[in-house]
Amino acid sequence: MKINLEEIYNLLFEYYGSQGWWPGEGIEIAIGAVLIQQTNWHNVEKAIEHLKEAGCLNVECLKKISLEKLEKLIQSSGYYKAKARTLKNLINLLIKDPQPDRNALLSIKGIGYETADSILLYWFEQPYFVIDEYSFRIFQRLGYYEGKDYLKLQRVFMEILPSDTKLYNEYHALIVEHAKKHCFKTNPRCNDCPLAKHCSYINEPNI
Ligand code: SF4
């Protein structure tokens, strides 16, 4: 029988401990959620540092700054032209509505489910379970899911787990930590993996 989602959480929590996500607070969470698309956190940190140095880690400055200057400040995060436009549109939305709902966020070009749900969960503390590449791979290996349908895998979590913002926050952070430390290596570190007993990858390493 496959391991249940609570057990997976407990094993990950026991092994990695509390992750204390998300770095930053307020608008910085939304900016980070946009900038992290298609890159790593190191590059996002550099871009956020540049915004901070320019005094532009706030709605007022992001509203006033020219698109060209914004592009330059966030260049290290890659796809900076598209991301700058997304940030500008997001700021315009936040000025009209400081706590937009999911549909409003999704109406902005460049904001998909993962970005919208990261903003809703980590900034507005609403119970949306965030799905990412790591979740697809790990939960396929654990026999939970096949395919890449964001909403379907999200439903698996949200129908089984209690609707608890803190739990969703910590669980997603633990998945990311597990991916980085064990599962997303070129050769996954299965020997000392806390989920090894429950993982099909060990027997079928093509998964
Ligand atoms: S046993 Fe290996 S493949 Fe399976 S979850 Fe752990 S690290 Fe990933």
Side-chain angles (χ1 to χ4, degrees):
M1 206 175 85
K2 83 181 169 203
I3 180 172
N4 71 45
L5 289 180
E6 282 94 347
E7 274 179 78
I8 296 172
Y9 175 84
N10 290 338
L11 287 169
L12 293 175
F13 191 87
E14 220 168 86
Y15 192 91
Y16 298 107
S18 175
Q19 299 300 300
W21 265 31
W22 176 294
E25 54 186 36
I27 187 70
E28 196 175 333
I29 294 174
I31 295 169
V34 171
L35 297 185
I36 190 63
Q37 295 171 5
Q38 318 285 337
T39 190
N40 59 51
W41 192 253
H42 177 67
N43 293 334
V44 174
E45 272 178 334
K46 276 202 250 169
I48 288 185
E49 204 42 52
H50 292 150
L51 288 169
K52 212 178 268 175
E53 283 164 13
C56 217
L57 210 51
N58 55 72
V59 173
E60 297 72 34
C61 178
L62 287 168
K63 167 78 185 152
K64 278 194 230 139
I65 194 170
S66 71
L67 195 58
E68 293 70 26
K69 274 192 189 152
L70 182 57
E71 286 172 0
K72 216 163 181 190
L73 290 173
I74 65 166
Q75 199 164 357
S76 67
S77 71
Y79 300 98
Y80 57 90
K81 284 182 184 287
K83 288 179 182 177
R85 241 170 266 123
T86 301
L87 282 179
K88 278 284 190 190
N89 290 332
L90 177 59
I91 293 305
N92 287 337
L93 172 66
L94 290 168
I95 288 168
K96 275 192 236 139
D97 178 0
Q99 196 160 336
D101 64 15
R102 196 187 202 209
N103 285 338
L105 289 169
L106 289 172
S107 71
I108 295 174
K109 191 170 176 215
I111 294 191
Y113 292 124
E114 185 182 338
T115 306
D117 290 345
S118 296
I119 294 170
L120 293 167
L121 178 67
Y122 288 105
W123 185 5
F124 300 139
E125 298 182 2
Q126 293 177 18
Y128 284 92
F129 201 99
V130 176
I131 300 297
D132 56 14
E133 272 305 307
Y134 299 145
S135 330
F136 283 125
R137 177 90 63 91
I138 293 168
F139 284 83
Q140 182 180 345
R141 289 175 174 178
L142 294 172
Y144 263 89
Y145 184 74
E146 291 213 8
K148 288 241 172 148
D149 186 321
Y150 185 100
L151 294 176
K152 271 194 189 158
L153 183 54
Q154 184 182 53
R155 248 192 324 271
V156 170
F157 283 96
M158 292 179 63
E159 281 174 1
I160 294 174
L161 297 173
S163 181
D164 179 338
T165 303
K166 282 203 171 74
L167 173 67
Y168 289 4
N169 177 326
E170 191 68 59
Y171 208 147
H172 177 238
L174 286 166
I175 289 169
V176 173
E177 186 66 5
H178 180 61
K180 287 185 179 160
K181 295 275 162 65
H182 281 90
C183 211
F184 261 60
K185 305 271 179 202
T186 312
N187 293 311
R189 277 180 47 200
C190 301
N191 288 346
D192 62 343
C193 168
L195 305 176
K197 267 202 315 198
H198 311 281
C199 180
S200 55
Y201 177 84
I202 291 175
N203 297 318
E204 297 171 58
N206 291 326
I207 294 174

